[in-house]
Amino acid sequence: FGAQGPGTSPELIVHNAKVTTQDTSRPQAEAIAFRDGKITAVGSNQEVLKSKGRSTRLIDAKGRRLIPGLNDSHLHAIRGGRFYSFELRWDGVPSLKVALDRVREQAKRTPKGQWIRVIGGWTPHQFAERRMPTPKELTLAAPDTPVYVLYLYSTAIVNRKGVEELGITKHSMAPAGGRYELGADGEPTGRLLAEPNPTILYQTLAELGEPSSEEKLSGTRHFYRELNRFGITSALDAGGGGHRFPAHYDGTARLAQTADMPVRISFHLFAQEPGAELKEFQDWVAAHEVQQNLAPTLAHGYELEGGGETLVTSAVDFENFRAPRPPLPERFRPELERVTNLLISKRWSLRIHATYDESASQILDVFESVDRTERDAGRLGFKSVRWAFDHGETLGGTSIGRIKALGGGVMVQNRMAFAGEDFIERYGRAMAAHAPPLRALLDAGVPVGAGTDATRVSSYNPWLALYWMVSGKSVGGAQLLDERNRLTRDEALHLYTLGSAWFSNEEEVKGRIAVGQFADFALLSHDYFAVPLETVRAIESVLTVVNGRVVYG
């Protein structure tokens, strides 16, 4: 429970709830109270209501499920807010016909000089038609407005107006690892293909135009409210290609200076310049402190954690399952070793993208070498920081044991819920059944956080990720994870709360409904633990609270 002294009655009490506390000393409760951004009491309705003061606000939950606020451990949140006002989303759209109708409607109100942008969060397998739009269909829907549709990091589809605006001709040279598709007539079709390098997709996106500072602030406000709508109260931001710090971070940076910051963001810095990553990190380390709160009105509101998810470009294995697995070039070893040495010596946490076990194994060779050097010098090495692999779809048992021995964790996302069918076509159902190896990671005692990799891959809707971990199914209904590799609802929720908090050193202040924890929670539209599994995908929050303040209701 908890105790209040004179003049310390709670500001708000939520009662008559089914509270999932994730506190082993009291797993369930009926009511919570909080003051000054912290939980002050947890218990039965009778116990908590005794603490009510004259000014205490009461909210009757009417029997709804209350959970700790969700924490996405791999969300490109800052970049998502930067572009949110410029994007048309197809998240959850049931048919290609409806998707094209949305393009048609958007064309009526898109200002001259702007693009219609559909950037991730969808898969053709969610459509009744089970296919992607064609460039011709996009042209018919928006003949006079350029349209750019991105599917994962494998393909972009551009209408005829878009091809003209980009100046793509049959003579255009694509970036290395990419291709402009040509038709039977030798002319560009409007398809841009990553084979497997997504540079062609990144570079084209950069040509579509940058929002103004005010548009970024507005987009960030709207996007973070969207996250709150689903019960998200925290996120670990993974940077992004073409997303430069600090220039492109101003939407979130400005919002963090106000009392309206509605999501706690911990962010990592993503190297941008191939071959010059060490210089980038040297400059960042010299100019910035890690774990320094940059949000004056919200504890742990906006904090730099360290480096990643790209530390060096040469160590990235592109997750385009429509193309063969790319081998890492030999130069990645010295490049990664230099950057890793710097970050570990300065006690900057790090995270690194690794889709395939083959890549993770080679990266671990470098990490273990750096760790030995650090320990030989009398320092703690990797165990002085929280560090992680991102993704890890095909991690094997040996690599999992090495991660555990080095004190690291793995942040998993539901990318397979959107790309699983492509994965099956290339690697087969047997590999898809344990991609990623959720059960093996938990059984090995490796810290695991859950997330989405939104917004350019998965949807930012966390309930699709929770559904995927429990059901093992893609959004198109394909059975991916086998029964042994699926999680219980309790386990999945744990990864999306306490599990994610480990990676930012915040497991002592968030992820539980307990006295002294941050007052971050969500009251749900449906009881996550009681509804049929298919209904989990439809859950939203009816009341989201961050730091004791209602941010969505």
Side-chain angles (χ1 to χ4, degrees), residues 177-189:
R179 177 167 65 91
Y180 298 116
E181 183 184 72
L182 302 180
D185 60 358
E187 297 296 327
T189 65

Side-chain angles (χ1 to χ4, degrees), residues 31 118 251 433 447:
V118 181

Side-chain angles (χ1 to χ4, degrees), residues 7 18 126 147-148 209 212 316 347 358 373 387 389 409 461 480 485 515 532:
K18 297 173 184 173
Q126 78 192 41
V147 182
Y148 182 97
S212 69
V316 175
R347 296 197 175 183
E358 292 85 348
T373 300
W387 72 273
F389 277 107
N461 181 348
L480 302 171
N485 197 29
V515 173

Side-chain angles (χ1 to χ4, degrees), residues 217-235:
L217 178 60
S218 175
T220 299
R221 287 185 189 275
H222 281 84
F223 180 51
Y224 290 177
R225 179 174 172 83
E226 268 287 273
L227 299 181
N228 294 151
R229 179 166 71 94
F230 291 111
I232 292 176
T233 60
S234 292

